[in-house]
Amino acid sequence: MTFDPRVVRAFAGTRKRSAVLACAAMLLLSASGTAAAAQTAAPKAVVVIPKGAVEVHLAPSSSSTDDSCDPTASLAPQSTMPIPGNMPQGSYMAQILARGYIEVGVDQNTYLWGYRDPATGDLTGFDVDMLQQVSQAIFGSPGHIDYVIVPNKLRAQYVQSGKVDILAETMTITCAREKLVDFSTVYYEAGQRILVPSNSDITGKQDLNGKRVCAPNGSTSLQNLANLREHIQLWEVDNETDCLVMLQQGQVDAISTDDTILQGLAAQDPNTKLVGQTFSSEPYGMAISKAHPDFTRFVNGVLAQVRADGTWASIYDSNLSAATGTSAPPPPPASYR
Ligand code: GLU
């Protein structure tokens, strides 16, 4: 999370002042000789709202449930996959190969999916591993990647503007987003749930009426909550870890976003629990510019291989099994248009 620098400055200011106060207290103590005089007020914990956290008022809308398109049907792969290191002339993959690396968009604080391992400093997680498969298929090895950390609400924009070639960031394929970018076939099926403190009485979405609920901005999660038509006090934040801080500080009663993300937050705080059934469908796709349909087809070829040869299952097992308590289910099937 990020803190408001003004609060940090205010802290720095009070430190000097409290040093002066402490000297004054000692003088008083030696003058009066009583312990009572030394009873200065106990320091109060300053509770900070994460920077960027705001309460929002969203009207119900069909944008997250829009079924005007078949959002998960993607472009079919080429009939044969090129050999790594030898991309077809004139293809977007050949441009990437010549450049020497893929520019990829990820998150760095979605534990289990796209996060920076504090021990190694490396980005890791399910999304990162999927992107490494694309590097493997173009270059013959996984490391040819330049990572760009993309804020949630700018995911489509970074892809559209060409700042990244491809983005894997727990991004739900929707008809509204499909107007802006192309998506690969589905590489994971998530669904929205609820995370609460272990001692909470909330057991599902029916209990959210009148409650303060946090979700990341730029996410389908916020709109899904608004669509419940309950009187929910919605808080949006820049990063889902900010939601966890707000839950820990008692500033919200629940967090509601994808089960995948909540499993990562629960793994970081044993005093929380996931409750209720999933109440939305969040199929994840890798986002690619509409200007490069050959690259979308290629990535779908990579995903077809990854599903078929057991790589998808081993990526699931190494990233998610400990948190979900299950070994890999069958990967989501591909659908082509
Ligand atoms: N899957 C949801 C979305 O794409 C939530 C993702 C997130 O908050 O990282 O909006």
Side-chain angles (χ1 to χ4, degrees):
M1 72 171 273
T2 43
F3 286 102
D4 187 335
R6 284 168 302 180
V7 176
V8 176
R9 266 203 300 282
F11 264 127
T14 46
R15 209 192 284 159
K16 266 191 217 147
R17 270 200 301 282
S18 39
V20 175
L21 284 174
C23 290
M26 279 170 67
L27 283 176
L28 263 178
L29 180 61
S30 54
S32 70
T34 67
Q39 281 178 359
T40 50
K44 269 200 190 136
V46 177
V47 176
V48 182
I49 286 190
K51 190 178 177 190
V54 280
E55 192 179 349
V56 287
H57 302 275
L58 282 182
S61 143
S62 61
S63 70
S64 63
T65 51
D66 181 2
D67 54 7
S68 62
C69 74
D70 179 1
T72 57
S74 184
L75 298 170
Q78 291 94 347
S79 49
T80 50
M81 284 297 278
I83 295 165
N86 191 6
M87 294 296 114
Q89 229 188 352
S91 67
Y92 193 62
M93 295 76 80
Q95 280 184 44
I96 293 174
L97 185 64
R99 190 202 293 148
Y101 57 89
I102 321 174
E103 204 73 75
V104 311
V106 290
D107 194 15
Q108 65 174 350
N109 65 99
T110 305
Y111 183 50
L112 309 177
W113 286 82
Y115 68 101
R116 204 173 279 286
D117 181 336
T120 61
D122 292 336
L123 286 159
T124 181
F126 194 100
D127 280 338
V128 173
D129 283 355
M130 283 290 158
L131 290 165
Q132 283 169 350
Q133 295 305 310
V134 181
S135 168
Q136 179 76 42
I138 295 179
F139 296 94
S141 59
H144 293 266
I145 291 184
D146 183 45
Y147 292 102
V148 179
I149 310 303
V150 182
N152 239 357
K153 60 183 170 197
L154 299 180
R155 289 176 293 186
Q157 199 175 308
Y158 269 56
V159 173
Q160 275 184 303
S161 66
K163 280 194 178 125
V164 296
D165 300 315
I166 183 168
L167 173 141
E169 204 174 318
T170 56
M171 187 168 186
T172 301
I173 306 171
T174 66
C175 290
R177 290 173 177 169
E178 193 126 89
K179 294 192 175 101
L180 310 173
V181 296
D182 263 342
F183 284 100
S184 70
T185 53
V186 178
Y187 68 92
Y188 195 90
E189 283 280 2
Q192 186 160 348
R193 286 187 73 192
I194 299 164
L195 186 81
V196 292
S198 304
N199 61 359
S200 170
D201 294 335
I202 296 171
T203 60
K205 64 180 171 33
Q206 70 287 349
D207 297 328
L208 294 182
N209 202 353
K211 296 290 195 291
R212 301 161 301 168
V213 183
C214 184
N217 61 23
S219 69
T220 48
S221 322
L222 283 167
Q223 193 59 56
N224 292 338
L225 287 165
N227 289 357
L228 293 178
R229 294 171 190 272
E230 302 283 351
H231 291 285
I232 297 174
Q233 293 175 46
L234 271 184
W235 279 82
E236 68 166 35
V237 292
D238 289 340
N239 300 299
E240 49 259 10
T241 38
D242 292 332
C243 279
L244 186 59
V245 170
M246 290 188 79
L247 191 77
Q248 290 164 338
Q249 295 188 151
Q251 292 158 335
V252 291
D253 305 298
I255 305 171
S256 182
T257 182
D258 302 349
D259 51 357
T260 47
I261 297 170
L262 297 179
Q263 279 151 0
L265 295 178
Q268 293 173 81
D269 185 342
N271 300 312
T272 60
K273 60 181 179 187
L274 269 115
V275 293
Q277 301 299 313
T278 56
F279 59 92
S280 75
S281 164
E282 310 289 335
Y284 290 170
M286 300 191 196
I288 296 166
S289 165
K290 286 185 177 293
H292 307 303
D294 57 341
F295 188 39
T296 303
R297 288 186 194 282
F298 177 82
V299 168
N300 286 342
V302 175
L303 289 177
Q305 272 175 358
V306 160
R307 284 188 197 95
D309 67 8
T311 306
W312 190 94
S314 65
I315 289 175
Y316 182 102
D317 286 339
S318 63
N319 288 290
L320 307 180
S321 277
T324 61
T326 60
S327 58
S335 149
Y336 302 115
R337 60 179 186 252

